[in-house]
Amino acid sequence: MPYCDHNATAPLRPLSRDAMAHALGLTGNPSSVHAHGRAARAVVEQARDRVAKLAHAKPDQVIFTSGATEANGLALWGAVEGAIDRSVTEKSARITRLFVSAIEHSSVLKTAEAVAERVAGVRLELLPVTANGVLDLEALRAALREGKGRALVAVMAANNETGVIQPVAEISRLCREAGALLLVDAVTAAGKIDLDAGLCDYMALSAHKLGGPQGAGALVVGEDAPLAPQMTGGGQQKGLRAGTENLSGIAGFGAAVESVLADAGERGRVASVRDRFERTLKARLADAVIFGESAPRLGNTSNVALPGLASQNIVIALDLDGVMVSSGSSCSSGKIAPSHVLSAMGVVDDLAGASIRVSFGWNSTDLDGDAVVASLEKLAARVRARAAA
Ligand code: PMP
């Protein structure tokens, strides 16, 4: 069945499945000093090396977590609380301002809101994006100029709904000049563009978006970045994230990363599937709107609106045809809530409410994209016929 929802979860890669099966057969606790413990430890450390390579970081910068929600939470709470700890010795180390792009994933947006609500003296400001979905650098520059105390900026490497790539190098330069810390949610970008953890202080990753298992992820932490642990206990992972490591999850994560690193042709293959999908879509349904089309975008993602149709109805109609895509907007208590990402790009509710996200990945073929177009065409014809009747 055509599965075109890789940005929600990518199918498990065969190497990842094998590594997980192997790890499930191991007995040791990675913290145990005996032979079985050491074998388990070796699995964790091999995965750490691989994740570090993907992020262009050192292995000891990688903290395994239960996913990117935890990684983003660890970064935001950990930075703010870690900076409070340091402020005893370092003047002006306290974080007083959170600048978060308006298109962040809810694991960043909601957590930043909670931090600002619960930690005295911390203010949250959302940073706007352009109509193309790219962070407004002027707004960031202006925000960094005001106020006292240290700022923490959160901008994703690429957006999960539109695939629009953010100018992380430029954002990093502005943050460094202002002495601000930078969190980059690299969940959607990982494996699709090169990452450089050296540009930021915190980088969040999730295994299941790149063909690893759900429930595994990592935070890559800069060597000088403040970080107060959010899970305390057994002192695992240098005391920064206590708890016995999720051995099979971490093994699967490492193997998925290894598959990504080993296959240099994958990005091109995926981009060719996506590009063909968009070409045929525009040829068959002339009024289709592709969001962020003229911005630099990941090669796997397409966010399209089909004026006159409703997101939820499109997703259901395609599902009935065995084609799986995601709705561009979410439905809460029976009402369609337009995506906050499209709203931030200035897309009017009617058009945002007609959008779907089609995202491809490592095992996608042209047949998948063709199936989406065929099903959309059928739906559009049905809706036209009903309107004419
Ligand atoms: N950030 C982004 C951009 C995401 O798409 C997701 C998953 N939807 C997350 C963070 C959270 O990741 P996880 O599912 O591993 O908690």
Side-chain angles (χ1 to χ4, degrees), residues 7-9 65-72 103-108 156-161 185-189 204-209 213-218 357:
N7 286 12
T9 280
T65 63
S66 63
T69 299
E70 185 191 332
N72 282 324
I103 57 165
E104 291 305 291
H105 184 260
S106 51
S107 58
V108 170
M156 61 208 330
N159 182 262
N160 49 305
E161 294 188 22
D185 175 338
V187 167
T188 316
L205 296 166
S206 179
H208 72 106
K209 308 287 181 166
Q214 295 162 340
R357 178 186 67 190

